Amino acid sequence: MTVAVEPVYAPFEFKAPNGELQGFDIDIIRAIGEAADFQVEFQSIAFDGMIPALQAGTVDAAVGA
């Protein structure tokens, strides 16, 4: 499952100094993926591009603070 995020809204979604995505939204999506037994791939997208990406089918879900 590809999930759109804009990782600039700590503590919800942000990039750690090592470049890894972290935050509440990231943890929730990863937990859902684990519980539902699917792999999650995050794609950084500007917030205003999330709905168009969903409509175009380029992502499966979006999460943003």
Side-chain angles (χ1 to χ4, degrees):
M1 173 171 267
T2 303
V3 180
V5 297
E6 183 180 21
V8 295
Y9 296 109
F12 299 101
E13 58 270 336
F14 61 96
K15 282 191 177 183
N18 66 2
E20 182 181 339
L21 288 174
Q22 294 184 344
F24 179 78
D25 291 344
I26 304 301
D27 292 344
I28 290 287
I29 294 297
R30 285 183 176 147
I32 291 169
E34 187 176 318
D37 196 32
F38 60 81
Q39 188 153 3
V40 176
E41 177 185 324
F42 292 100
Q43 183 175 354
S44 292
I45 296 179
F47 186 78
D48 60 353
M50 288 184 181
I51 299 299
L54 285 165
Q55 292 171 327
T58 58
V59 297
D60 301 305
V63 62

